[in-house]
């Protein structure tokens, strides 16, 4: 319990999420995806569902210090304090971090029709941000969505998040929808991978991340192609997860450009004889490719799966 007193579930949300991950295989109600896993319930929110950033940080640190292998965060907002980022950065050394992308139907970057609304902690680069689909593979109309592959505020995968039946307090069951329901599906997949690849020295947290993201190959259909546009193209549609492939497929490199820098520094441009004399009058160092300039480009590459050679 992270500074909130009793660990009882006030609204049923946490119990529903926990059931998706680990409900017992007892032939009653439902069965969790990773039903042999151990659940460590930690309460970071108050009875109204409001989360203080300080309590989120305490909850993450508690989970890390008490041996959690996977941390599911079916919550979030538009801000993320340094304290929370520090806690998550520390936990990332051993824990798989999974978070819901949010239910505002907004992108994580500015587009022609929308202002950006990144949802944290899902948008952090070291957290697997999970968006929602329905049972047909259609993107949920409420889910926040990812604009471009390999950006700095990325949601990585889709998972089922509509009409999910799970446990609620009082030995009952309820159907709920939201990215809060999609995130524990991915957290459960991470738990299965942790139980299958037990050697953490050989199969690090980054390996588990790669298996989840690299095998998310289910085709997702955009729910609103007319408005979910980025520079006149469709927004990034990563696949939905595939637990079987994550367990049996071995990683291969998946490398893309995450950012670049342009340099038109005086001294780069050459004349027709290959001599740089007088080029300072051509290159002006303003970061724009002007007529006659020769520029240098620096790329930052992001490998999303296997080791590149």
């Amino acid at each position: 319990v992270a500074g909130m007193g009793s660990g009882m579930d006030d609204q049923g949300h946490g119990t529903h999420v926990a059931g998706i991950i680990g409900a017992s295989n007892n032939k009653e109600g439902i069965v969790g995806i990773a039903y042999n896993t151990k659940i460590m319930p930690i309460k970071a929110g108050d009875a109204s569902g409001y989360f203080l950033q300080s309590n989120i940080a305490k909850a993450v640190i508690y989970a890390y210090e008490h041996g959690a292998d996977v941390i599911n965060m079916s919550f979030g907002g538009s801000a993320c304090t340094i304290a929370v980022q520090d806690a998550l950065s520390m936990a990332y050394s051993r824990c798989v971090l999974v978070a819901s992308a949010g239910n505002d139907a907004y992108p994580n970057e500015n587009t022609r029709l929308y202002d950006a609304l990144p949802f944290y902690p899902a948008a952090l680069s070291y957290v697997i941000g999970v968006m929602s689909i329905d049972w047909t593979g259609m993107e949920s109309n409420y889910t926040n969505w990812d604009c471009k592959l390999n950006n700095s505020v990325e949601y990585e995968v889709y998972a089922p998040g509509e009409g999910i039946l799970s446990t609620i307090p009082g030995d009952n069951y309820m159907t709920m929808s939201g990215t809060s329901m999609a995130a524990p599906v991915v957290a459960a997949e991470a738990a299965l991978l942790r139980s299958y690849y037990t050697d953490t020295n050989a199969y690090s947290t980054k390996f588990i991340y790669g298996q989840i993201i690299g095998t998310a190959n289910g085709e997702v259909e955009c729910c609103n192609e007319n408005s979910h546009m980025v520079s006149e193209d469709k927004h990034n549609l990563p696949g939905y997860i595939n637990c079987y492939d994550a367990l049996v497929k071995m990683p291969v490199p998946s490398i893309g450009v995450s950012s670049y820098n342009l340099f038109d520094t005086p001294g780069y441009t050459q004349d027709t004889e290959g001599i740089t004399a007088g080029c300072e009058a051509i290159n002006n160092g303003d970061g724009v490719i002007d007529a006659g300039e020769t520029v240098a480009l620096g790329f930052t590459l992001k490998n999303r799966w296997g080791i590149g050679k």
Side-chain angles (χ1 to χ4, degrees):
V1 179
M4 296 305 300
S6 170
M8 292 299 294
D9 185 355
D10 298 300
Q11 298 187 348
H13 182 274
T15 304
H16 197 274
V17 167
I20 294 170
I21 299 171
S24 297
N25 186 16
N26 57 6
K27 299 182 180 180
E28 295 182 12
I30 66 159
V31 59
I33 297 169
Y35 57 83
N36 282 327
T37 196
K38 294 182 179 179
I39 300 293
M40 182 191 300
I42 303 173
K43 187 174 182 180
D46 61 22
S48 67
Y50 184 78
F51 287 73
L52 292 175
Q53 294 278 315
S54 58
N55 285 336
I56 294 172
K58 291 176 184 177
V60 170
I61 293 170
Y62 182 94
Y64 169 74
E65 291 181 343
H66 288 78
D69 293 308
V70 182
I71 299 177
N72 182 81
M73 296 171 283
S74 288
F75 58 79
S78 59
C80 189
T81 63
I82 295 298
V84 171
Q85 293 182 53
D86 286 346
L88 290 169
S89 296
M90 178 180 68
Y92 173 68
S93 64
R94 191 188 65 239
C95 306
V96 178
L97 306 175
V98 181
S100 54
N103 307 318
D104 302 300
Y106 262 77
N108 55 353
E109 291 186 283
N110 288 331
T111 69
R112 178 168 50 86
L113 298 177
Y114 293 92
D115 292 329
L117 186 66
F119 197 76
Y120 295 99
L124 294 172
S125 61
Y126 43 88
V127 175
I128 300 178
V130 185
M131 299 166 285
S132 173
I133 55 169
D134 67 13
W135 65 276
T136 69
M138 173 70 74
E139 181 182 46
S140 301
N141 59 12
Y142 55 74
T143 188
N144 288 345
W145 43 280
D146 190 77
C147 285
K148 299 177 183 177
L149 181 65
N150 292 322
N151 57 23
S152 60
V153 283
E154 190 164 12
Y155 312 133
E156 283 81 5
V157 296
Y158 286 91
E162 292 194 32
I164 307 298
L165 181 67
S166 187
T167 50
I168 59 171
D171 294 327
N172 289 314
Y173 304 89
M174 179 181 289
T175 297
M176 293 186 183
S177 298
T179 58
S180 284
M181 285 65 251
V185 175
V186 177
E189 179 185 18
L192 292 174
L193 287 165
R194 278 291 195 208
S195 65
Y196 189 72
Y197 295 104
T198 56
D199 187 346
T200 55
N201 292 321
Y203 303 110
S204 64
T205 296
K206 289 183 179 180
F207 173 83
I208 303 298
Y209 275 59
Q211 291 300 106
I212 293 171
I213 298 168
T215 61
N217 49 26
E219 186 174 348
V220 175
E221 184 177 353
C222 178
C223 67
N224 193 338
E225 292 185 359
N226 292 327
S227 63
H228 288 192
M229 300 291 289
V230 180
S231 300
E232 307 305 323
D233 295 320
K234 289 182 181 179
H235 72 94
N236 180 40
L237 284 166
Y240 60 80
I241 62 167
N242 186 323
C243 287
Y244 178 79
D245 280 358
L247 287 166
V248 302
K249 283 192 173 182
M250 287 293 98
V252 295
S254 177
I255 300 172
V257 177
S258 62
S259 64
Y260 69 90
N261 291 296
L262 184 152
F263 305 94
D264 62 336
T265 306
Y268 284 161
T269 302
Q270 297 182 340
D271 63 18
T272 56
E273 297 180 358
I275 302 171
T276 60
C279 65
E280 292 190 9
I282 302 175
N283 275 19
N284 56 19
D286 64 355
V288 178
I289 305 176
D290 299 312
E293 289 187 332
T294 298
V295 301
L297 292 173
F299 294 96
T300 300
L301 303 179
K302 182 177 182 180
N303 185 2
R304 298 166 62 86
W305 200 6
I307 297 174
K309 295 183 179 179

